[in-house]
């Protein structure tokens, strides 16, 4: 025969007044409210038991009937026919002495053990995640390619930025050089300078000279040539 001891569950004596029952219920319901137990099924069950105890003990007729059943259960327990699970914190709370502090200690013990169990699980999950093989995926390749494009888009203007010379420099081409419209080898070629052509370097980028020149046909022009063998015009 088993009977929940609602008085001990609420931490009160069997002769508690209606006001004492109300205060004990409010105190426990706030402490173990579902909003504070993060979905823990064990704590939710205990909250239901607390509500159940209040519903019975706050109703005079139901309490009278319950007291009779409880007294019979206590007699049976004294005769050795009453059983309870001593390892279950909830059951201990239901049959322990009527003391709020003892009830709270039992709950705190349960929560502490649960916290350590959760920490162990999280640690194991982290280790498993760390040891998990890493594979090259299309998503990773595309992400890397996008980053490289963004970096190149940022650096390219810097690499091709022109720096004006502080003074005009006159040079002579030492070998044939193509002249481009823009400082880019893929841009349109507008001329070709033969060896010995005199040029004036106006500005430069990391890879090109911007030059004024007069080609072998006597045509004066301006464009970009790749940096390469040139010598000062003595």
């Amino acid at each position: 025969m088993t009977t929940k001891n609602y008085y001990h569950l609420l931490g009160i004596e069997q002769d508690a007044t209606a006001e004492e029952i109300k205060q004990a219920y409010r105190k426990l319901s706030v402490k173990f409210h579902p909003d504070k137990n993060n979905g823990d099924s064990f704590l939710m069950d205990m909250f239901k038991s607390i509500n159940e105890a209040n519903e019975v003990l706050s109703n005079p007729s139901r309490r009278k009937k319950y007291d009779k059943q409880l007294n019979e259960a206590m007699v049976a327990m004294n005769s050795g026919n009453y059983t309870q699970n001593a390892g279950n914190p909830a059951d201990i709370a239901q049959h322990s002495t009527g003391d709020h502090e003892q009830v709270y200690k039992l709950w705190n013990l349960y929560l502490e053990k649960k916290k350590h169990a959760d920490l162990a699980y999280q640690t194991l999950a982290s280790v498993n995640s760390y040891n998990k093989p890493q594979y090259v995926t299309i998503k990773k390749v595309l992400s890397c390619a996008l980053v490289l494009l963004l970096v190149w888009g940022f650096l390219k203007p810097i690499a091709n930025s022109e720096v004006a010379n502080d003074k005009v420099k006159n040079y002579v081409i030492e070998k044939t050089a193509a002249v481009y419209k823009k400082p880019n080898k893929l841009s349109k070629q507008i001329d070709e300078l033969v060896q010995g052509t005199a040029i004036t370097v106006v500005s430069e980028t990391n890879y090109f000279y911007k030059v004024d020149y007069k080609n072998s046909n006597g045509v004066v022009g301006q464009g970009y040539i790749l940096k390469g063998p040139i010598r000062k015009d003595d």
Side-chain angles (χ1 to χ4, degrees):
M1 177 181 180
T2 59
T3 300
K4 292 182 180 180
N5 191 324
Y6 290 145
Y7 294 103
H8 290 174
L9 181 61
L10 295 180
I12 56 178
E13 298 295 339
Q14 190 168 347
D15 59 355
T17 64
E19 183 62 27
E20 289 174 336
I21 293 173
K22 182 187 296 184
Q23 291 179 1
Y25 166 71
R26 286 180 177 176
K27 190 173 183 180
L28 288 172
S29 63
V30 170
K31 184 174 181 64
F32 304 119
H33 194 276
D35 291 343
K36 298 182 179 181
N37 61 35
N38 296 321
D40 187 294
S41 59
F42 180 72
L43 296 181
M44 291 178 68
D45 289 341
M46 282 307 302
F47 182 75
K48 292 178 182 178
S49 295
I50 292 170
N51 281 325
E52 180 183 321
N54 179 64
E55 289 175 1
V56 172
L57 299 183
S58 62
N59 185 307
S61 60
R62 294 184 65 182
R63 180 181 180 183
K64 183 177 180 180
K65 183 178 179 180
Y66 168 75
D67 284 346
K68 181 180 179 181
Q69 294 176 346
L70 180 62
N71 291 333
E72 292 175 354
M74 296 300 291
V75 171
M77 183 175 66
N78 292 332
S79 65
N81 296 324
Y82 188 89
T83 60
Q84 70 176 30
N85 181 4
N88 188 329
D91 199 56
I92 294 173
Q94 292 164 7
H95 302 290
S96 62
T97 59
D99 182 1
H100 280 301
E101 295 304 321
Q102 184 172 353
V103 175
Y104 293 160
K105 287 178 181 178
L106 289 168
W107 284 115
N108 290 334
L109 177 62
Y110 168 77
L111 293 175
E112 186 67 20
K113 289 183 178 180
K114 184 176 183 300
K115 181 176 70 174
H116 288 303
D118 290 344
L119 179 61
Y121 175 80
Q122 292 171 6
T123 302
L124 180 61
S126 299
V127 171
N128 289 338
S129 176
Y130 178 79
N131 292 330
K132 185 177 180 180
Q134 300 296 318
Y135 300 100
V136 176
T137 62
I138 295 178
K139 183 177 180 180
K140 290 181 179 179
V141 172
L142 292 177
S143 297
C144 291
L146 178 60
V147 171
L148 290 175
L149 286 174
L150 291 174
V151 171
W152 172 243
F154 175 75
L155 294 179
K156 185 178 179 181
I158 298 176
N160 289 332
S161 59
E162 294 186 24
V163 179
N165 291 318
D166 54 354
K167 60 181 179 179
V168 175
K169 297 180 180 179
N170 297 317
Y171 294 91
V172 174
I173 297 290
E174 290 192 327
K175 67 178 183 179
T176 302
V179 181
Y180 299 96
K181 186 175 182 180
K182 296 179 180 180
N184 189 329
K185 195 174 181 180
L186 299 179
S187 70
K188 181 180 179 181
Q189 182 175 334
I190 58 176
D191 211 333
E192 186 175 78
L193 304 180
V194 298
Q195 183 179 1
T197 303
I199 60 174
T200 300
V201 176
V202 179
S203 62
E204 62 181 284
T205 71
N206 284 354
Y207 306 106
F208 287 86
Y209 289 122
K210 183 177 182 180
V211 300
D212 291 330
Y213 64 89
K214 184 176 182 180
N215 65 17
S216 57
N217 297 323
V219 177
V220 176
Q222 186 180 74
Y224 295 87
I225 64 172
L226 280 167
K227 286 185 174 180
I230 61 174
R231 60 178 173 80
K232 285 187 178 181
D233 186 5
D234 299 329

